[in-house]
Amino acid sequence: MGRFDRYFLMECNDIVEYVLQKYEIFAEDAELSVEEIGDGNLNYVFRVQDEKNGASVILKHSGIETRAKSGRHVDTDRNRIEAEILMLQDKYVSGYVPRVYGYDPVMCCMVMEDLKNYEVMRGALLKFSIYPFFADQITTYMVNCLLATTDIVMDHKEKKQLVKSYVNPDLCTITEQLVYSEPFGNFAGKNYVVDELKDYVEKEVYADQDLKLEAAKMKFGFMEHAQALIHGDLHSGSIFINSKGLKVFDPEFAFYGPMGYDLANVVAHMIFAKFHSIALQKEGRDKEKFQEWIDSVIRESVDLFKDKFTKRYDELCTDCMAKTEGFKEYYLEGVIHDAAGIAGCELIRRVVGVAKVKDLTEIKDNILRMEQEKKIISIAKEFIKNREKISSGQQFLGIVKKNL
Ligand code: SR1
Ligand code: MG
């Protein structure tokens, strides 16, 4: 029995032997070095580099426990789901996801393209970088991947096979708890905020029964609505970007859920970037330009999603009843309402919950941070409570601007 025929948690010094045994990627005279570069909550990410010839790959390896020492066990099947989703999405929207070279179900390890010429978008936004084509690119990714996997387009039996193949109970449990439950009641007692925000959160979030009811409705929408194969965690840390293009990665939370979930994450994390800039970017022309660009992304992510969805729907729709006049508009309205409400949940959970975002934690002055977080909570509450009235990019942006 070989060393890698039975699962164990690999470390840096196991990786060269592993790659050489399992893959014929590198030249015979390669001089390989390994570096652990992951900074997520769940997995280990290694860059393997041939120092002599320049080639490199990324290995993503799943542990049975989360990295954050919560002791939470998470099914390593997420690594299979991630590898398969990336390969599937490459067919729907070629070039928008990293290439996968192989997946090993024993060691729960995927080998993929090293995107050295790209930057993780959250880091880039924290430096106030602007990407003029982002809204256009991310909506192309979303519409192509999401619509193709719905009952609108896909053979219904084939779709049910995908639903089965991507049941993702452990990762969905994380979302059900961290996005749809804990933010509205702190049931596990693990939420935390800066002292200056505590009273506000008690009153405006935990004691708001109307808010809790709307969140409960949305939680069941998430669990019960197998609409499309969603990415499931499409925040700015799941996007590699440069001035020409982007690659969406890390779809380990993928499953059949409400497609508004992905759009919601894009919008919510642009709002975090906006408040990070409001708090920490030096006043001046660059700040104005960054703010204007963020606003345009919030608006266009929604409007371009709608335009592209409308066009692709007509091209791809196969279901006879889905061709009924008025159904497309009804269906798309529902997606946008979902996106508004889910964006609200995402905004609140990153303020009060255990999984924070650097956009806010980098604001070291607690008063300044509390001021931004209060506004974010107001925006979120309006998104959630009024979601069924929100149907355009301008309405999303209007709510943000009203609460600045
Ligand atoms: C325990 S995982 C915490 C969060 O990180 C991931 O990126 C997801 O957003 C999840 O909710
Ligand atoms: Mg992730």
Side-chain angles (χ1 to χ4, degrees):
M1 195 159 165
R3 243 190 112 208
F4 303 106
D5 291 343
R6 196 156 158 194
Y7 177 83
F8 68 95
L9 186 63
M10 292 192 285
E11 294 181 10
C12 266
N13 51 16
D14 302 306
I15 298 297
V16 169
E17 191 186 336
Y18 176 80
V19 173
L20 292 176
Q21 215 180 92
K22 299 275 177 185
Y23 293 89
E24 287 175 10
I25 296 174
F26 292 106
E28 279 193 3
D29 63 344
E31 290 168 13
L32 298 185
S33 69
V34 180
E35 185 192 1
E36 212 279 296
I37 56 168
D39 71 346
N41 294 309
L42 296 175
N43 303 294
Y44 299 84
V45 183
F46 301 95
R47 169 174 285 133
V48 185
Q49 166 100 26
D50 176 354
E51 301 292 350
K52 190 166 177 196
N53 306 301
S56 62
V57 292
I58 295 293
L59 262 81
K60 190 162 176 185
H61 176 43
S62 301
I64 51 175
E65 272 187 32
T66 58
R67 290 188 74 157
K69 292 186 180 46
S70 64
R72 186 195 277 267
H73 284 248
V74 192
D75 195 341
T76 45
D77 189 43
R78 67 186 187 274
N79 203 266
R80 188 247 337 154
I81 291 180
E82 177 165 356
E84 289 185 8
I85 297 284
L86 289 176
M87 291 189 268
L88 188 67
Q89 292 189 335
D90 196 46
K91 294 194 188 121
Y92 295 137
V93 63
S94 177
Y96 283 71
V97 291
R99 248 170 303 141
V100 175
Y101 301 132
Y103 161 67
D104 169 1
V106 174
M107 294 306 294
C108 305
C109 191
M110 169 177 50
V111 177
M112 62 180 162
E113 181 183 9
D114 186 4
L115 297 164
K116 271 190 288 194
N117 300 329
Y118 291 74
E119 211 177 335
V120 175
M121 191 175 184
R122 187 176 313 282
L125 293 175
L126 294 178
K127 290 183 280 176
F128 315 113
S129 305
I130 290 174
Y131 297 94
F133 311 118
F134 173 67
D136 185 36
Q137 291 159 342
I138 198 68
T139 51
T140 295
Y141 163 81
M142 286 190 285
V143 169
N144 282 282
C145 293
L146 294 171
L147 190 54
T149 58
T150 59
D151 282 306
I152 305 287
V153 174
M154 191 171 261
D155 171 78
H156 301 340
K157 284 188 183 166
E158 198 186 324
K159 183 233 172 181
K160 287 176 180 67
Q161 285 304 322
L162 289 189
V163 173
K164 195 166 134 193
S165 188
Y166 299 114
V167 169
N168 195 349
D170 281 8
L171 283 285
C172 285
T173 299
I174 293 178
T175 303
E176 287 153 26
Q177 291 173 347
L178 296 192
V179 179
Y180 289 103
S181 306
E182 293 305 319
F184 305 97
N186 196 17
F187 304 103
K190 290 186 178 163
N191 290 354
Y192 65 96
V193 293
V194 293
D195 286 347
E196 291 79 354
L197 191 69
K198 276 184 178 160
D199 292 345
Y200 184 86
V201 168
E202 286 294 337
K203 178 167 172 283
E204 291 295 327
V205 183
Y206 302 150
D208 187 338
Q209 292 306 313
D210 296 336
L211 183 68
K212 193 187 261 180
L213 174 59
E214 296 312 311
K217 292 179 195 170
M218 284 193 290
K219 178 177 179 178
F220 280 77
F222 178 80
M223 295 189 293
E224 295 175 346
H225 195 182
Q227 187 175 35
L229 190 49
I230 66 171
H231 178 284
D233 201 23
L234 191 48
H235 54 72
S236 54
S238 298
I239 300 167
F240 278 115
I241 196 158
N242 64 22
S243 59
K244 295 196 187 78
L246 58 75
K247 306 260 184 191
V248 174
F249 67 110
D250 216 10
E252 62 190 334
F253 282 78
F255 84 115
Y256 258 91
M259 69 167 90
Y261 196 89
D262 286 348
L263 177 58
N265 265 267
V266 170
V267 171
H269 287 264
M270 294 312 288
I271 294 173
F272 292 129
K274 181 171 178 73
F275 280 97
H276 174 261
S277 148
I278 289 173
L280 297 185
Q281 192 170 6
K282 223 162 44 74
E283 291 297 335
R285 184 71 199 117
D286 284 352
K287 182 169 183 166
E288 257 173 57
K289 271 168 64 184
F290 186 75
Q291 288 288 322
E292 277 167 20
W293 172 68
I294 292 273
D295 290 352
S296 74
V297 175
I298 294 170
R299 200 180 48 241
E300 286 173 15
S301 297
V302 176
D303 292 342
L304 290 176
F305 183 100
K306 288 177 67 178
D307 292 350
K308 291 178 190 182
F309 186 97
T310 302
K311 191 161 171 281
R312 289 297 277 166
Y313 189 108
D314 293 338
E315 290 163 2
L316 299 178
C317 180
T318 57
D319 182 277
C320 56
M321 290 303 284
K323 291 180 182 167
T324 307
E325 204 183 325
F327 181 76
K328 177 178 70 180
E329 291 73 16
Y330 154 82
Y331 188 96
L332 182 55
E333 276 287 297
V335 171
I336 305 301
H337 298 334
D338 283 351
I342 298 164
C345 295
E346 180 68 12
L347 288 170
I348 294 186
R349 75 105 163 197
R350 298 291 187 176
V351 171
V352 309
V354 288
K356 307 270 188 218
V357 284
K358 276 194 182 153
D359 313 51
L360 301 175
T361 58
E362 272 201 354
I363 308 171
K364 299 299 176 198
D365 175 335
N366 279 3
I367 303 282
L368 190 57
R369 176 168 164 183
M370 173 267 287
E371 285 167 0
Q372 313 315 313
E373 292 183 335
K374 276 186 177 175
K375 291 174 191 164
I376 290 170
I377 288 173
S378 298
I379 294 166
K381 289 180 66 165
E382 208 165 328
F383 279 174
I384 292 171
K385 290 183 176 181
N386 292 338
R387 64 189 182 284
E388 280 173 14
K389 295 191 198 110
I390 300 172
S391 50
S392 71
Q394 191 50 47
Q395 282 174 295
F396 276 83
L397 184 60
I399 292 171
V400 173
K401 289 199 152 178
K402 200 176 92 187
N403 286 285
L404 290 181

